[in-house]
């Protein structure tokens, strides 16, 4: 068996190198002058070849199961006040190693994560001139690969000012792509599904609902997911974005190529400034034969460094309710001057009572601190918010005390209004206050254009700000759920107080978007794109789908049953039950939200297609309960779920929250049925999802 496998691998490898050679010749590209270096994944399904051409340019190609999936793609850098590193390079040394390890997530989609890769390190040196050195490190996994650049300390390269990183990802066909524009300021766009050759990010420039957006060219943000004509799935992203700019990918719709386009700064005019030695983030490509395997892949966290915080058990994954949706509906306001202030002591206590009665561990209170009269629409936002002074109708200490009495935590809220310097000045004081009060989680926000003007949310300066916030928070035992954040790149492995974030078009758009909210295909797309990067604070659980009487022209574009399924499908260690408590009272479907777990021993994707549907099963930590969530786009679907993952010989009570036969996201969204039956691992469940619908199932072991 092993022999056959080895023979097959050797054959694939020969074929791949042959194709590479022919491709280079056919395209009249300079043929390699040195033997290519190869590294393959542990099972051999992915092979990466590193090559140098006659000009001393360097690049790589990738094959999966014997077929090229990334064509010859070159690597180079442009700098300020220094020649590009692009050609005249030679390999001065190379080495390989293999790693197999298992590490534990303190909270997460699964407890144990296997990290198994083969690594190739290539040391490059300019043959002439400054003789600068650059190293490229490749890690090849069964679920994809990552590579990063390392700039060693050297006499002729001390300070490095990068004006462009030119990392290419050349595709082998006009794949189907799920993309959002390469916006330097915000990720809150709807996904587009087009052929690669039809990507047109520029047409998305004028967005009516975004307080900040900047799309300089035809580029996409990451993760960007693709499907080839052969049915293979690829997703491009980055891991361990540290002291560097976020990467967007510029698309060339004619050559079907992508190239890294780092987020810049109008203040400095460059993209990144570092001193040697330093390493860049990993550039990642997830490769999967099934769409669901993309979701099960842990490549992004695996490419990050181990936990630096040690024990973070002061943070407990939790469901939460909050003084939040009522502001988005217009029932109350963040500010006090309106006379409809939401964050009053009385209202917060009512939320605490509701949480305590319903197995919900926390309450978020927005609009508790002074400054909101001067929020949206104001250019001058520096110094407006402070993060210690409550409005006079909100007794912070008393609310926290009352919460503790009832076993409910209060989640702090810091809206920075994109004035990070004001926030940085107060970080220590603000977190000290939280520490003194025994508050362990904060939701942050960065609405508006960054002050100083000319910096963007996703540039190096802000990447460093978001990191400083996480590090300072950690010192005070505070976990951060950031809105308008930098995208997740797996930092949660290193700093597990990075619990969740927005960084996508969230539920809030359903309350006020002028474009009709998030269409039913949104979340079946998010699951295979944004969610590959890390946990999401989507804020599910809206039962009053039509938003009556608050919003005549807005609604949620899913069924109620889908809102339940989102607790399982969309992963996050903090999950909001976002609706007004009065919309839950007396509704039998609320039992699922009471019951559903938030922290998982393991997760399995049972089926799915990008943008169409997905079904995920997750086993709760420390219990033997399983939960299943299934969601579909605007098309109804009949899906059969095989329960063979359940413990053998164990019976479970399955409670199924399903769309009623005549349910429909628009015509009849709240029609659902709850049924119950006993099942074992030998059973299969037939699910019928309505258009825009879903199903949520809890599976509780029957005591023996
Ligand atoms: C934007 C966040 O996404 C939203 O959840 C929050 O309510 C507002 N900012 C106010 O901070
Ligand atoms: Ca937002």
């Amino acid at each position: 068996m092993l022999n056959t496998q080895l023979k097959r691998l050797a054959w694939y490898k020969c074929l791949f190198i042959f194709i590479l050679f022919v491709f280079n010749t056919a395209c009249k590209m300079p043929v390699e002058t040195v033997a290519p270096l190869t590294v393959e994944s542990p099972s051999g399904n992915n092979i990466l070849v590193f090559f140098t051409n006659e000009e001393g340019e360097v690049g790589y190609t990738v094959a999966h199961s014997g077929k090229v999936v990334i064509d010859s793609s070159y690597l180079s850098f442009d700098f300020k006040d220094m020649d590009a590193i692009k050609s005249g390079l030679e390999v001065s040394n190379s080495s390989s190693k293999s790693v197999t390890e298992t590490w534990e997530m303190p909270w997460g989609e699964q407890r144990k994560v296997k990290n198994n890769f083969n690594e190739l390190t290539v040391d490059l040196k300019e043959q002439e001139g400054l003789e600068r050195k650059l190293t490229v490190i490749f890690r090849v996994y069964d679920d994809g690969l990552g590579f990063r650049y390392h700039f060693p300390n050297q006499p002729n390269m001390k300070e490095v000012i990068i004006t462009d990183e030119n990392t290419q990802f050349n595709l082998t066909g006009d794949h189907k792509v799920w993309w959002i524009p390469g916006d330097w300021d915000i990720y809150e766009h709807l996904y587009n599904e087009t052929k690669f050759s039809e990507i047109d990010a520029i047409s998305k420039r004028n967005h009516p609902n975004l307080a900040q957006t900047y799309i300089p060219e035809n580029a996409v943000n990451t993760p960007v997911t693709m499907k080839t004509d052969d049915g293979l799935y690829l997703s491009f992203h980055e891991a361990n974005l540290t002291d560097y700019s976020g990467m967007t990918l510029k698309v060339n719709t004619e050559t079907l190529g992508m190239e890294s386009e780092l987020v810049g700064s109008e203040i400095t005019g460059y993209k990144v400034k570092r001193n040697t030695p330093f390493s860049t983030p990993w550039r990642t490509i997830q490769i999967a034969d099934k769409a669901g395997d993309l979701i099960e892949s842990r490549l992004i966290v695996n490419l990050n460094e181990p936990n630096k915080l040690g024990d973070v058990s002061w943070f407990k994954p939790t469901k939460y309710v909050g003084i939040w949706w009522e502001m988005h509906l217009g029932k109350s306001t963040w500010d006090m001057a309106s006379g409809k202030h939401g964050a009053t002591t009385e209202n917060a206590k009512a939320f605490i009572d509701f949480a305590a009665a319903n197995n919900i561990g926390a309450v978020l209170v927005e609009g508790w601190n002074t400054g909101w009269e001067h929020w949206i629409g104001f250019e001058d936002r520096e110094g407006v918010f402070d993060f210690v002074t409550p409005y006079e109708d909100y007794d912070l200490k008393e609310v926290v005390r009352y919460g503790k009495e009832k076993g409910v935590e209060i989640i702090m809220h810091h809206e920075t209004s994109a004035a990070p310097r004001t926030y940085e000045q107060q970080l220590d004081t603000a977190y000290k206050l939280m520490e003194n009060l025994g508050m362990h989680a904060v939701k942050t926000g960065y609405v508006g254009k960054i002050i100083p003007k000319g910096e963007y949310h996703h540039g190096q300066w802000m990447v460093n700000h978001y990191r400083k916030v996480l590090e300072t928070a950690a010192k005070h035992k505070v976990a951060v759920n950031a809105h308008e954040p930098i995208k997740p790149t797996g930092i949660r492995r290193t700093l597990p107080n990075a619990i969740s974030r927005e960084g996508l078009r969230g539920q809030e758009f359903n309350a006020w978007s002028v474009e009709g909210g998030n269409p039913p295909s949104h979340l079946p797309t998010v699951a295979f794109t944004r969610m590959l990067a890390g946990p999401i604070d989507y804020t599910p659980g809206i039962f009053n789908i039509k938003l009556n009487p608050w919003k005549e022209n807005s609604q949620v574009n899913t069924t109620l049953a889908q809102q339940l399924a989102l607790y399982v499908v969309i992963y996050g260690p903090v999950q909001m039950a976002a609706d007004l408590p009065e919309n839950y009272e007396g509704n039998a479907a609320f039992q699922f939200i009471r019951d559903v777990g938030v922290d998982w021993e393991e997760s399995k994707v049972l089926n799915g297609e990008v943008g169409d549907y997905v079904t995920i099963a997750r086993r709760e930590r420390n219990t033997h309960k399983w939960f299943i969530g299934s969601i579909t786009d605007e098309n109804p679907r009949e899906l059969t779920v095989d329960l063979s993952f359940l413990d053998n010989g164990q019976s479970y009570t399955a409670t199924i929250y399903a769309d009623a036969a005549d349910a429909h996201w628009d015509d009849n969204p709240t029609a659902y049925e709850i049924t119950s039956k006993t099942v074992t691992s030998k059973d299969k469940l037939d699910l019928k999802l309505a258009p825009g619908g879903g199903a949520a199932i809890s599976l509780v072991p029957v005591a023996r």
Side-chain angles (χ1 to χ4, degrees), residues 50 97 193 277 330 371 447 532 551 589 611:
F50 177 88
K97 72 172 185 188
E193 179 184 321
V447 174
L532 307 185
K551 294 275 175 165

Side-chain angles (χ1 to χ4, degrees), residues 188 324 328 334 366 372 375 413 415 443 445 447 483-484 502 508:
E188 296 183 17
W324 178 75
H328 288 271
W334 285 273
E366 292 201 4
W372 291 89
W375 179 42
H413 184 239
E415 173 56 64
K443 171 179 168 181
V447 174
H483 279 226
E484 299 77 43
E502 192 185 41
E508 61 186 24

Side-chain angles (χ1 to χ4, degrees), residues 378-642:
F378 289 85
E379 278 288 300
D380 174 20
R381 286 166 276 118
E382 208 84 79
V384 167
F385 278 114
D386 86 50
F387 305 96
V388 292
T389 312
Y391 277 120
E392 60 204 37
D393 58 350
Y394 184 71
D395 186 340
L396 172 66
K397 280 193 186 135
E398 170 57 16
V399 169
V400 173
R401 187 208 60 77
Y402 188 71
K404 289 218 185 305
E405 187 184 306
K406 301 274 170 157
V408 173
E409 293 232 2
I410 305 301
I411 299 177
M412 181 46 103
H413 184 239
H414 293 163
E415 173 56 64
T416 68
S417 64
R421 288 185 300 205
T422 293
Y423 193 38
E424 286 191 15
Q425 280 161 9
Q426 298 183 41
L427 276 185
D428 259 312
T429 325
Y431 292 144
K432 234 176 241 158
L433 172 71
M434 289 182 63
E435 195 173 14
N436 291 341
L437 292 171
M439 300 173 81
H440 290 298
V442 62
K443 171 179 168 181
T444 58
Y446 293 82
V447 174
K449 284 194 189 305
I450 296 292
I451 312 174
K453 249 197 178 134
E455 290 295 352
Y456 296 97
H457 280 72
H458 309 154
Q460 184 184 15
W461 193 80
M462 278 302 288
V463 165
N464 289 343
H465 166 80
Y466 290 113
R467 184 62 56 86
K468 187 172 181 181
V469 169
L470 276 175
E471 285 168 353
T472 313
K475 282 189 200 137
H476 297 281
K477 296 194 168 52
V478 168
V480 181
N481 170 16
H483 279 226
E484 299 77 43
I486 186 66
K487 61 191 169 184
T489 57
I491 302 297
R492 64 175 162 141
R493 179 177 176 193
T494 316
L495 301 175
N497 69 325
I499 48 171
S500 195
R501 69 191 84 198
E502 192 185 41
L504 87 166
R505 180 178 289 228
Q507 181 91 273
E508 61 186 24
F509 272 78
N510 292 324
W512 38 253
S513 163
V514 297
E515 300 159 313
N518 302 334
S521 59
H522 182 54
L523 290 160
T525 311
V526 162
F528 297 95
T529 51
R530 159 67 179 83
M531 198 167 85
L532 307 185
I536 297 178
D537 188 34
Y538 184 75
T539 66
I542 300 303
F543 279 16
N544 177 14
I545 301 281
K546 295 286 182 183
L547 313 180
N548 292 331
W550 308 107
K551 294 275 175 165
E552 252 175 46
N553 301 318
S554 304
Q555 69 172 67
V556 173
N557 302 316
T558 74
T559 65
L560 188 150
Q562 181 176 118
Q563 289 293 309
L564 299 180
L566 296 178
Y567 288 89
V568 188
V569 170
I570 302 297
Y571 172 67
V574 286
Q575 287 280 32
M576 188 169 204
D579 211 340
L580 310 176
E582 58 259 39
N583 293 328
Y584 293 134
E585 302 278 14
N587 193 323
F590 189 54
Q591 190 58 41
F592 184 79
I593 299 182
R594 286 191 193 104
D595 293 341
V596 69
V598 274
D599 196 20
W600 310 106
E601 188 68 35
E602 57 182 311
S603 293
K604 288 181 188 298
V605 183
L606 304 180
N607 55 45
E609 269 302 329
V610 189
D612 295 341
Y613 66 98
V614 61
T615 307
I616 301 184
R618 304 194 195 266
R619 177 155 75 95
E620 191 178 26
R621 287 197 189 187
N622 306 321
T623 74
H624 284 267
K625 293 180 195 167
W626 281 87
F627 295 88
I628 299 176
S630 185
I631 62 172
T632 180
D633 60 3
E634 67 285 358
N635 298 304
R637 254 170 246 280
E638 296 190 8
L639 300 170
T640 300
V641 171
D642 185 337

Side-chain angles (χ1 to χ4, degrees), residues 260-426:
S260 55
E261 185 64 35
L262 302 179
V263 172
S265 152
E266 267 160 36
I267 295 178
T268 63
Y270 56 74
K271 305 291 178 75
V272 172
K273 185 171 174 176
R274 293 290 299 269
N275 291 323
T276 57
F278 73 92
S279 299
T280 70
W282 297 91
R283 278 62 190 94
T284 63
I285 310 174
Q286 280 159 289
I287 306 172
D289 296 314
K290 290 200 305 263
D293 291 351
L294 289 175
I295 299 175
E296 288 187 6
S297 161
R298 297 289 164 256
L299 183 83
I300 304 299
V301 268
N302 271 333
L303 285 166
N304 275 267
E305 285 155 33
N307 181 352
K308 279 189 184 154
L309 300 182
D311 178 17
V312 289
S313 57
W314 41 262
F315 163 71
K316 304 238 177 327
T318 184
K319 288 168 274 190
Y320 71 102
V321 288
I323 302 180
W324 178 75
W325 191 236
E326 57 182 76
M327 279 88 100
H328 288 271
L329 292 178
K331 182 184 174 196
S332 70
T333 59
W334 285 273
D335 70 272
M336 220 178 120
S338 69
K340 295 195 296 180
H341 189 211
T344 63
T345 307
E346 196 193 351
N347 198 15
K349 284 189 173 179
F351 269 90
I352 292 169
D353 290 340
F354 179 79
N358 290 294
N359 189 31
I360 289 173
V363 175
L364 165 74
V365 183
E366 292 201 4
W368 68 277
N369 59 330
T370 58
W372 291 89
E373 283 75 12
H374 206 86
W375 179 42
I376 279 189
F378 289 85
E379 278 288 300
D380 174 20
R381 286 166 276 118
E382 208 84 79
V384 167
F385 278 114
D386 86 50
F387 305 96
V388 292
T389 312
Y391 277 120
E392 60 204 37
D393 58 350
Y394 184 71
D395 186 340
L396 172 66
K397 280 193 186 135
E398 170 57 16
V399 169
V400 173
R401 187 208 60 77
Y402 188 71
K404 289 218 185 305
E405 187 184 306
K406 301 274 170 157
V408 173
E409 293 232 2
I410 305 301
I411 299 177
M412 181 46 103
H413 184 239
H414 293 163
E415 173 56 64
T416 68
S417 64
R421 288 185 300 205
T422 293
Y423 193 38
E424 286 191 15
Q425 280 161 9
Q426 298 183 41

Side-chain angles (χ1 to χ4, degrees), residues 107-374:
W107 47 263
E109 302 95 317
Q110 65 196 71
R111 190 189 294 274
K112 295 215 164 107
V113 181
K114 195 169 145 205
N115 187 18
N116 184 201
F117 60 86
N118 292 325
E119 181 179 283
L120 168 70
T121 299
V122 186
D123 295 323
L124 299 166
K125 197 177 164 201
E126 286 176 316
Q127 288 157 294
E128 290 172 357
L130 295 175
E131 298 186 350
R132 290 170 298 178
K133 291 185 271 183
L134 179 68
T135 297
V136 194
I137 302 143
F138 297 93
R139 286 188 180 171
V140 183
Y141 291 76
D142 288 342
D143 54 344
L145 62 106
F147 60 93
R148 74 176 347 172
Y149 306 91
H150 177 73
F151 287 74
N153 188 16
Q154 51 197 295
N156 288 332
M157 202 161 42
K158 292 281 182 205
E159 186 183 69
V160 179
I161 301 178
I162 299 172
T163 52
D164 258 317
E165 175 194 318
N166 314 305
T167 300
Q168 295 182 346
F169 303 89
N170 289 324
L171 307 174
T172 53
D174 194 6
H175 307 328
K176 196 192 259 189
V177 187
W178 291 268
W179 59 273
I180 55 171
D183 194 321
W184 288 10
D185 251 332
I186 199 142
Y187 307 108
E188 296 183 17
H189 292 270
L190 284 177
Y191 280 88
N192 301 277
E193 179 184 321
T194 69
K195 286 270 183 198
F196 186 87
S197 59
E198 286 156 12
I199 294 175
D200 179 14
I202 300 297
S203 67
K204 308 288 166 190
R205 257 182 194 160
N206 299 317
H207 197 290
N209 276 129
L210 297 176
Q212 70 272 349
T213 173
Y214 181 64
I215 306 169
E217 47 197 329
N218 195 17
V220 295
N221 247 312
T222 71
V224 55
T225 298
M226 305 184 185
K227 185 178 183 182
T228 71
D229 284 347
D230 297 337
L232 188 73
Y233 299 85
L234 303 171
S235 189
F236 299 82
H237 188 44
E238 59 182 312
N240 194 354
L241 171 53
T242 299
D243 200 359
Y244 207 80
S245 275
M247 177 181 75
T248 72
L249 294 169
K250 198 163 53 178
V251 305
N252 186 327
T253 51
E254 273 159 28
T255 62
L256 307 181
M258 300 193 291
E259 192 171 296
S260 55
E261 185 64 35
L262 302 179
V263 172
S265 152
E266 267 160 36
I267 295 178
T268 63
Y270 56 74
K271 305 291 178 75
V272 172
K273 185 171 174 176
R274 293 290 299 269
N275 291 323
T276 57
F278 73 92
S279 299
T280 70
W282 297 91
R283 278 62 190 94
T284 63
I285 310 174
Q286 280 159 289
I287 306 172
D289 296 314
K290 290 200 305 263
D293 291 351
L294 289 175
I295 299 175
E296 288 187 6
S297 161
R298 297 289 164 256
L299 183 83
I300 304 299
V301 268
N302 271 333
L303 285 166
N304 275 267
E305 285 155 33
N307 181 352
K308 279 189 184 154
L309 300 182
D311 178 17
V312 289
S313 57
W314 41 262
F315 163 71
K316 304 238 177 327
T318 184
K319 288 168 274 190
Y320 71 102
V321 288
I323 302 180
W324 178 75
W325 191 236
E326 57 182 76
M327 279 88 100
H328 288 271
L329 292 178
K331 182 184 174 196
S332 70
T333 59
W334 285 273
D335 70 272
M336 220 178 120
S338 69
K340 295 195 296 180
H341 189 211
T344 63
T345 307
E346 196 193 351
N347 198 15
K349 284 189 173 179
F351 269 90
I352 292 169
D353 290 340
F354 179 79
N358 290 294
N359 189 31
I360 289 173
V363 175
L364 165 74
V365 183
E366 292 201 4
W368 68 277
N369 59 330
T370 58
W372 291 89
E373 283 75 12
H374 206 86

